[in-house]
Amino acid sequence: MSDAPATIAQTRSAIAGRAASAEEITRAALARIDAANPALNAFLQVFHDRAMAAARDIDRRVASGETPGPLAGVPIALKDNLCVGPEDGGGRTTCGSRFLENYESPFSATVVRRLAAAGAIIVGKTNLDEFAMGSSGENSAFGPTRNPWDHARIPGGSSAGSAAAVAAGMVPAALGSDTGGSIRQPAGFCGIVGLKPTYGRVSRYGLVAFASSLDQVGPMARTVADAAAILGVIAGPDLHDSTCSPREPEDFTRALETPVESLRIGIPRQARTSANHPAVAAALENAAAVFRRLGAEVIDVDLPHADYGIAAYYIVAPAEASSNLARFDGIRFGRRAELGPGETLMDLYCRSRGEGFGAEVQRRIMLGTYVLSAGYYDAYYLTALRARRKIKDDFDAVLAGTEDTAEDTGGRAAGGGTQAARGTAGPGRCHALLMPSAPTPAFRLGEKAADPLAMYAADVYTVGANLAGLPGITLPGGFAREGGVELPVGVQLIGAAWDEARLLRIARTLERELALPHHTPP
């Protein structure tokens, strides 16, 4: 098999057909990581020996007639806020922070266990903004990750390393986490597919918490089909996570190639603004034109409280971060500062946290502590929660959930003539919303580092899905030319809660019709 990057589907087909072994595929992936990572800083740890041992085990099982699992022999990377315990080979879980640079978890995250059970080969842990707090990939204590399309630009954040690793062809897929767009925004900047599932669809057990009511684990891959395959493996109930839904996992690939009938796509008024880069605006309109050409109804919708999304998110998320990160005090977890003569326990706390946390994490902890403090709780935190409720109501008013329609499983394409009754959205309701994944292509390293508010604005199109707990997917929508460099531009689809199967089918329809090349950056 060639060293060229492969999709999950191609990898599985090669192993099943004996065109390549899992050992060959894994060795090629490790070689690509070793060659590309020094320039990109996408990986913080690479598991050479254990990955090769796992691949040889897959080959033995295939040779003996076993079916090792739906991801057998597929190299996959993990964002380094997902725990890997001794049962899966161990390793550090740093969260991109000096505070946890030597931390080794005694257990594995549920999603890691499920990947291993499915036969995936875990090849390493990827870089991220510290504690997943960032929109650029620049906030890691171990150095910034660089965009494979232009090493002078950011890959997006916080799942920076996972996005760069997939885009550069190091691995076919990776896991990220999405608190306010941390899967979808870097996927758009790097020209890959990134899926944030419905809150509660995937277990958060073993994911180091940033904001517990917003965090969700999801796949990053080169194709919609690959993202669907991984979601089918990692989704499902988990007794270790009380926020995880009891819904059983689905085969999200089963009807992926079947277009949704009587398709209605909504474009929020707030998605068309002068703040959008011309290439972003063009990609949005081109995607809308594709849906119209297929016979879908494309309508304008209004999300009246969307403009409050950034403000609400940057109160709710830091408030939860302030509580979640209180455990990192130099006593219970992580780095402990050295005390001098006469220094107190309070000195130990202050010095440990001051030395261990970077500037962005400290900023968010202070902001979160402030909005939760006496005298400001009602004015800020409770007001943000009310805004969050309004934002969710706005989405619910325009999206057709599975409770509104009977899921259509076959029939003619959206443009095929007869409008089927099954799958028809109710009056004024849409099967999905279409918008950009970010208002601009990837910006330059350091360009917004001194202006946190400008940095936060990069999340303007992604925070809403997290506040509302909805599934969203980014896929390549086109390219922009910036200074002679070709940069990807992403488009995003958001669906109703628990409607990933239909959302993935809509995304696959757009991916197929756009027919953009899945090439690796130069």
Side-chain angles (χ1 to χ4, degrees):
M1 186 175 181
S2 160
D3 281 355
T7 65
I8 289 176
Q10 291 168 341
T11 302
R12 294 192 320 193
S13 176
I15 292 174
R18 307 295 177 89
S21 66
E23 183 177 354
E24 291 169 335
I25 290 168
T26 302
R27 182 178 292 111
L30 292 169
R32 291 194 297 270
I33 293 169
D34 291 342
N37 198 56
L40 297 178
N41 197 28
F43 279 85
L44 296 179
Q45 301 170 72
V46 183
F47 305 141
H48 289 88
D49 293 340
R50 83 173 70 159
M52 292 303 299
R56 294 186 189 104
D57 182 61
I58 292 293
D59 288 335
R60 283 194 295 270
R61 294 168 64 188
V62 170
S64 68
E66 288 186 54
T67 303
L71 299 178
V74 177
I76 290 182
L78 304 173
K79 186 176 181 178
D80 199 21
N81 59 351
L82 289 165
C83 293
V84 179
E87 67 270 37
D88 294 298
R92 299 185 308 278
T93 301
T94 72
C95 293
S97 177
R98 291 293 179 196
F99 219 113
L100 293 178
E101 61 184 325
N102 296 312
Y103 175 70
E104 296 186 10
S105 173
F107 64 94
S108 288
T110 295
V111 291
V112 174
R113 296 267 66 219
R114 289 176 177 173
L115 287 177
I121 309 297
I122 306 300
V123 296
K125 306 287 285 295
T126 58
N127 204 355
L128 68 156
D129 287 298
E130 185 179 6
F131 282 100
M133 298 184 195
S135 304
S136 66
E138 296 173 284
N139 295 323
S140 171
F142 307 107
T145 303
R146 297 177 181 273
N147 193 311
W149 292 87
D150 180 355
H151 294 183
R153 294 178 185 268
I154 57 99
S158 63
S159 304
S162 290
V166 174
M170 298 182 187
V171 288
L175 290 189
S177 64
D178 194 310
T179 306
S182 290
I183 288 174
R184 291 161 292 144
Q185 184 247 44
F189 283 161
C190 289
I192 62 170
V193 174
L195 172 65
K196 183 202 94 69
T198 303
Y199 183 83
R201 172 72 81 175
V202 176
S203 171
R204 294 184 300 110
Y205 179 72
L207 170 70
V208 179
F210 164 12
S212 300
S213 75
L214 301 166
D215 299 339
Q216 191 65 183
V217 181
M220 306 177 80
R222 297 178 70 82
T223 67
V224 172
D226 284 359
I230 295 176
L231 180 62
V233 167
I234 64 175
D238 180 20
L239 295 178
H240 293 297
D241 179 4
S242 63
T243 66
C244 192
S245 169
R247 292 170 183 253
E248 290 299 322
E250 303 174 36
D251 179 359
F252 295 100
T253 65
R254 179 178 58 86
L256 197 60
E257 298 297 332
T258 305
V260 175
E261 298 183 36
S262 306
L263 181 60
R264 182 181 292 158
I265 299 293
I267 299 180
R269 171 185 61 80
Q270 294 78 8
R272 289 178 166 132
T273 77
S274 59
N276 288 342
H277 185 281
V280 170
L284 177 66
E285 298 308 326
N286 184 47
V290 167
F291 284 124
R292 289 191 188 96
R293 188 173 71 245
L294 292 174
E297 183 182 3
V298 179
I299 64 173
D300 294 326
V301 299
D302 189 25
L303 302 174
H305 299 90
D307 292 339
Y308 302 109
I310 288 289
Y313 173 82
Y314 279 100
I315 291 175
V316 173
E320 295 187 15
S322 173
S323 298
N324 278 326
L325 270 63
R327 72 195 73 178
F328 301 109
D329 55 12
I331 302 294
R332 289 169 288 184
F333 290 95
R335 179 189 185 112
R336 180 180 297 187
E338 296 291 331
L339 289 183
E343 291 187 300
T344 66
L345 179 63
M346 182 59 69
D347 295 322
L348 174 63
Y349 288 150
C350 294
R351 185 174 297 178
S352 296
R353 289 168 70 83
E355 292 175 1
F357 290 138
E360 182 61 28
V361 174
Q362 292 186 37
R363 179 184 294 117
R364 297 196 192 196
I365 289 174
M366 288 190 290
L367 177 60
T369 303
Y370 178 81
V371 302
L372 291 176
S373 62
Y376 298 100
Y377 184 90
D378 289 352
Y380 291 101
Y381 184 65
L382 288 187
T383 299
L385 291 183
R386 286 193 288 269
R388 180 181 188 175
R389 180 75 248 181
K390 293 289 188 181
I391 289 168
K392 184 182 187 306
D393 290 345
D394 290 347
F395 278 106
D396 290 344
V398 298
L399 284 168
T402 51
E403 72 279 4
D404 299 311
T405 69
E407 175 64 15
D408 54 323
T409 57
R412 305 167 67 176
T418 303
Q419 299 266 312
R422 290 182 306 164
T424 303
R429 291 186 176 231
C430 305
H431 294 105
L433 301 180
L434 174 67
M435 63 183 73
S437 55
T440 67
F443 44 89
R444 294 186 177 277
L445 286 161
E447 182 178 329
K448 299 185 179 183
D451 187 349
L453 294 181
M455 184 76 76
Y456 298 164
D459 301 331
V460 65
Y461 294 127
T462 54
V463 296
N466 297 86
L467 291 167
L470 303 178
I473 185 169
T474 287
L475 64 155
F479 295 92
R481 297 292 299 184
E482 287 278 307
V485 177
E486 189 177 56
L487 299 172
V489 170
V491 292
Q492 179 184 195
L493 292 161
I494 294 176
W498 314 112
D499 207 15
E500 284 92 344
R502 185 162 53 189
L503 181 67
L504 285 160
R505 288 166 58 195
I506 296 170
R508 173 57 189 144
T509 298
L510 181 59
E511 177 186 58
R512 182 173 57 242
E513 294 299 320
L514 286 174
L516 295 174
H518 293 291
H519 59 276
T520 303

